[in-house]
């Protein structure tokens, strides 16, 4: 999900959001939700004219409804806003765009989040996409290693798959 809003000194250009969403759609091949509040309605109209891929544009009626929608996301992308902090609090992996250099104080912390900032305040769509790719790659699990580890017996030797604890837990 993407949130288009921010206060005037923290806002990212609508054209950048549109380009980033176009490219994100190519990368992920999944549905992208666009969130906004009442104050962002003019930005949404410009965004609609600028984006070239299908998106679902939603204006949540309350903070409670926004929170419910954010909880369903695989990833949140947006500027330093209340919705960004809400997504982080809900545990949604977040790519936070910071225009101002207050990211050290207000930026999301932890391995499930990425902060995008440039000293020249000129964050580009490719910067945000690099953060998205990095977040996706860092959450990929090496399934073969996980299965090999799960298939080790108590003595450290490999156990046939049908006898492993992991398979027993799944099938029992």
């Amino acid at each position: 999900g993407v949130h288009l809003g921010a206060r005037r000194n923290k806002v990212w250009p609508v054209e950048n959001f549109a380009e980033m969403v176009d490219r994100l759609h190519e990368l992920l091949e999944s549905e992208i939700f666009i969130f906004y509040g009442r104050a962002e309605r003019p930005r949404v109209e410009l965004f609609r004219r600028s984006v070239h891929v299908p998106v679902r544009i939603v204006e949540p009626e309350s903070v409670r409804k926004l929170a419910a929608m954010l909880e369903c996301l695989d990833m949140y992308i947006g500027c330093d806003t209340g919705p960004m902090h809400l997504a982080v609090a809900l545990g949604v992996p977040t790519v936070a765009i910071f225009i101002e250099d207050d990211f050290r104080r207000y930026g999301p912390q932890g391995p499930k989040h990425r902060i995008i900032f440039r000293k020249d305040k000129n964050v580009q769509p490719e910067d945000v996409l690099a953060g998205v790719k990095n977040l996706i790659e860092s959450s990929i699990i090496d399934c073969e290693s996980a299965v090999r580890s799960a298939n080790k017996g108590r003595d450290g030797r490999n156990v046939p798959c049908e006898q492993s604890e992991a398979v027993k837990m799944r099938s029992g």
Side-chain angles (χ1 to χ4, degrees), residues 13-22 42-53 55 57:
V14 172
E15 298 81 5
N16 286 357
F17 272 114
E19 181 182 337
M20 185 269 303
V21 166
D22 284 344
R43 290 175 55 79
V44 171
E45 291 312 313
L46 178 57
F47 177 82
R48 284 182 206 266
R49 291 191 301 271
S50 303
V51 73
H52 301 99
V53 296
V55 294
I57 299 177

Side-chain angles (χ1 to χ4, degrees), residues 14-88:
V14 172
E15 298 81 5
N16 286 357
F17 272 114
E19 181 182 337
M20 185 269 303
V21 166
D22 284 344
R23 293 171 59 190
L24 186 64
H25 186 266
E26 288 176 26
L27 174 71
L28 301 179
E29 297 179 4
S30 64
E31 190 170 37
I32 299 173
F33 286 81
I34 307 298
F35 298 98
Y36 70 99
R38 218 172 295 132
E40 287 95 31
R41 285 180 182 159
R43 290 175 55 79
V44 171
E45 291 312 313
L46 178 57
F47 177 82
R48 284 182 206 266
R49 291 191 301 271
S50 303
V51 73
H52 301 99
V53 296
V55 294
R56 294 191 61 182
I57 299 177
V58 181
E59 180 182 2
E61 298 168 8
S62 68
V63 173
R64 185 179 300 249
K65 288 186 179 182
L66 173 63
M69 291 176 190
L70 292 176
E71 271 189 312
C72 297
L73 298 178
D74 293 322
M75 182 183 298
Y76 174 92
I77 303 168
C79 296
D80 178 18
T81 62
M84 182 273 294
H85 293 286
L86 183 56
V88 170

Side-chain angles (χ1 to χ4, degrees), residues 24 27-28 75 77 95 128-137:
L24 186 64
L27 174 71
L28 301 179
M75 182 183 298
I77 303 168
V95 177
V128 177
L129 290 166
V132 168
K133 289 176 188 175
N134 180 271
L135 189 56
I136 291 169
E137 290 167 3

Side-chain angles (χ1 to χ4, degrees), residues 97-147:
I97 303 165
F98 275 76
I99 307 302
E100 298 295 321
D101 64 358
D102 57 356
F103 63 90
R104 286 180 192 85
R105 183 171 183 179
Y106 299 113
Q109 302 296 312
K112 290 173 56 173
H113 313 297
R114 298 294 179 271
I115 295 170
I116 311 301
F117 170 78
R118 287 176 60 152
K119 287 182 182 180
D120 64 3
K121 299 183 180 192
N122 193 21
V123 174
Q124 295 297 307
E126 56 266 16
D127 300 326
V128 177
L129 290 166
V132 168
K133 289 176 188 175
N134 180 271
L135 189 56
I136 291 169
E137 290 167 3
S138 71
S139 64
I140 293 174
I141 297 170
D142 179 358
C143 293
E144 289 180 22
S145 296
V147 168

